[in-house]
């Protein structure tokens, strides 16, 4: 009996000795990163990956503004890392995955049997139809929703479509949305339950998230969806302002193809576990990590595009 207790105590102490790796990541990475966490911990049992999803901008601000100790950031927009973290809070940026914007809906959505990739702007403006998007100031999916709507106005030649639907001007302020027409939450994954419950009709969201949750959706033309690098010049014709680094400041987000970034935090509070952080990032960038991303609906960049000082990863 005493021997069994000693063994149990030893097992418990080994479990408690695991080194945590704190990963702040975009909500849209929740499903693939959960699978990556499991595979990573099987390969590296000494580590305990602790994931914290939020909007990518909000994730960066947890460290830059609040001084949170964290090890890794996975952002839905690599430019968040470039603009907010490098050089003071990160030394490199690894672009590792892509995605595209779609419009998700359910059988409960008004005009669900009629909507398609050609008439959705007209249906969105119909009385009683409600649309959801993430907060542009904390989540790239939010400002990408604005950019897609502006691109749609040009593509479908629907003059005034953006202002008729949202009416935000060039910058969104919390609470200014017409609540009879628009639902806003901090990140796109916060809106999924409300959509599935029939609280509103259509959601601007990433294709990978819609696939993961078995949602119906409209695939948008590539000239609108922010999917393809060949439309970079088209995307860059639109822009939207988001909250800047200081109160009262704004930063312009210019339309661009969707590319995810990942990095290791560098500041006085983090990373608490640099070796673990490096191992996790390298695993995400490895063929095994890329396969998990692709399995969950996101094309992986092969090889990843790494800018800045990536020597910490053992890469040139």
């Amino acid at each position: 009996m005493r021997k069994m207790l000693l063994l149990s105590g030893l097992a418990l102490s080994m479990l408690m000795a695991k080194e945590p790796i704190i990963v702040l990541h975009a909500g849209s990475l929740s499903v693939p990163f959960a699978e990556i966490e499991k595979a990573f911990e099987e390969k590296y049992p000494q580590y305990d990956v602790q994931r914290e999803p939020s909007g990518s901008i909000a994730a960066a601000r947890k460290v830059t503004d609040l001084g949170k100790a964290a090890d890794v950031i996975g952002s839905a927009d690599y430019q968040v890392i470039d603009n907010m973290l490098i050089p003071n809070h990160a030394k490199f940026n690894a672009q590792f995955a892509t995605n595209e914007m779609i419009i998700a809906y359910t059988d409960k959505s008004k005009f669900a049997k009629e909507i398609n990739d050609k008439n959705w702007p007209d249906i969105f403006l119909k009385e009683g139809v409600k649309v959801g998007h993430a907060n542009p100031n904390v989540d790239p999916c939010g400002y990408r929703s604005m950019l897609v709507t502006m691109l749609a106005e040009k593509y479908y030649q629907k003059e005034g479509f953006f202002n008729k639907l949202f009416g935000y001007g060039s910058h969104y302020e919390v609470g200014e949305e017409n609540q009879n027409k628009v639902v806003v939450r901090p990140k796109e994954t916060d809106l999924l339950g409300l959509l599935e419950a029939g609280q509103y009709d259509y959601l601007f969201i990433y294709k990978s998230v819609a696939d993961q949750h078995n949602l119906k959706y409209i695939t948008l033309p590539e000239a609108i969806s922010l999917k393809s690098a060949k439309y970079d010049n088209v995307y860059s014709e639109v822009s939207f302002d988001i909250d800047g680094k200081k109160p009262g400041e704004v930063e312009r987000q210019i339309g661009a193809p969707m590319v995810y970034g990942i990095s290791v935090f560098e500041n006085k509070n983090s990373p608490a576990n640099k070796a673990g952080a490096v191992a996790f990032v390298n695993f995400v960038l490895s063929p095994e990590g890329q396969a998990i991303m692709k399995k969950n609906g996101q094309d992986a960049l092969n090889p990843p595009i790494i800018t800045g000082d990536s020597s910490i990863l053992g890469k040139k």
Side-chain angles (χ1 to χ4, degrees):
M1 181 68 176
R2 183 175 178 179
K3 186 175 181 180
M4 289 179 63
L5 288 173
L6 287 172
L7 288 172
S8 297
L10 179 61
L12 181 61
S13 65
M14 290 177 64
L15 181 64
M16 293 177 65
K18 285 190 174 186
E19 300 176 50
I21 304 171
I22 301 171
V23 180
L24 310 183
H25 63 81
S28 58
L29 288 171
S30 294
V31 172
F33 270 23
E35 191 170 336
I36 284 174
E37 174 187 348
K38 182 179 179 182
F40 175 81
E41 289 179 348
E42 287 176 355
K43 188 172 184 178
Y44 300 99
Q46 70 269 37
Y47 295 127
D48 174 26
V49 176
Q50 298 176 6
R51 297 180 300 104
E52 188 174 313
S54 63
S56 299
I57 298 171
R61 286 179 178 150
K62 288 175 184 178
V63 172
T64 61
D65 297 1
L66 303 178
K68 180 179 176 66
D71 301 298
V72 174
I73 181 167
S75 172
D77 187 345
Y78 77 96
Q79 295 182 84
V80 170
I81 297 172
D82 281 348
N83 296 338
M84 298 183 66
L85 299 178
I86 292 177
N88 294 327
H89 301 283
K91 300 302 182 186
F92 71 90
N93 192 355
Q95 301 173 35
F96 71 102
T98 63
N99 216 324
E100 65 183 283
M101 294 293 292
I102 54 87
I103 294 169
Y105 65 102
T106 71
D107 289 332
K108 300 174 184 176
S109 302
K110 295 180 180 68
F111 305 103
K113 293 182 179 180
E114 301 174 29
I115 198 165
N116 56 46
D117 63 346
K118 297 178 177 62
N119 66 12
W120 67 269
D122 296 319
I123 286 179
F124 274 26
L125 294 180
K126 286 181 178 293
E127 186 175 353
V129 173
K130 244 177 151 174
V131 178
H133 69 78
N135 184 338
N137 295 312
V138 297
D139 189 345
C141 191
Y143 59 72
R144 284 168 171 157
S145 301
M146 305 298 103
L147 298 171
V148 163
T149 306
M150 293 174 182
L151 289 167
E153 180 173 322
K154 292 172 174 283
Y155 183 87
Y156 296 104
Q157 299 181 354
K158 300 289 184 182
E159 187 175 352
F161 174 54
F162 176 81
N163 284 329
K164 289 175 184 177
L165 183 61
F166 295 127
Y168 300 150
S170 62
H171 179 257
Y172 167 75
E173 297 284 349
V174 174
E176 73 168 303
E177 67 272 13
N178 175 359
Q179 295 186 9
N180 293 320
K181 189 69 179 175
V182 181
V183 176
V184 183
R185 293 292 185 273
K187 61 182 184 292
E188 82 282 354
T189 49
D190 293 335
L191 290 153
L192 290 171
L194 296 176
L195 178 67
E196 292 167 336
Q199 296 299 304
Y200 66 98
D201 303 294
Y202 298 97
L203 172 62
F204 288 96
I205 199 167
Y206 301 144
K207 180 178 181 291
S208 65
V209 178
D211 284 335
Q212 291 158 12
H213 291 268
N214 298 313
L215 292 170
K216 293 185 174 183
Y217 58 85
I218 300 162
T219 301
L220 300 173
E222 287 190 6
I224 298 174
S225 68
L226 306 179
K227 173 185 179 180
S228 176
K230 70 182 179 182
Y231 287 100
D232 192 9
N233 290 339
V234 175
Y235 301 155
S236 66
E237 292 176 357
V238 298
S239 64
F240 192 75
D241 293 339
I242 65 170
D243 289 352
K245 295 177 181 178
K246 297 179 181 179
E249 290 184 350
V250 296
E251 294 181 0
R252 180 149 296 177
Q253 293 294 322
I254 298 171
M258 293 178 59
V259 180
Y260 284 60
I262 190 168
S263 190
V264 172
F265 281 114
E266 291 274 357
N267 60 40
K268 63 181 180 180
N269 293 320
S270 52
N273 184 354
K274 183 169 285 190
V278 169
F280 182 83
V281 170
N282 275 328
F283 186 85
V284 171
L285 301 181
S286 72
E288 187 174 355
Q290 289 181 323
I292 292 172
M293 294 300 301
K294 193 171 184 67
K295 173 187 171 185
N296 286 282
Q298 292 183 248
D299 286 335
L301 292 182
N302 188 16
I305 300 170
I306 306 177
T307 58
D309 182 3
S310 61
S311 58
I312 189 175
L313 299 178
K315 304 177 187 296
K316 295 182 179 180

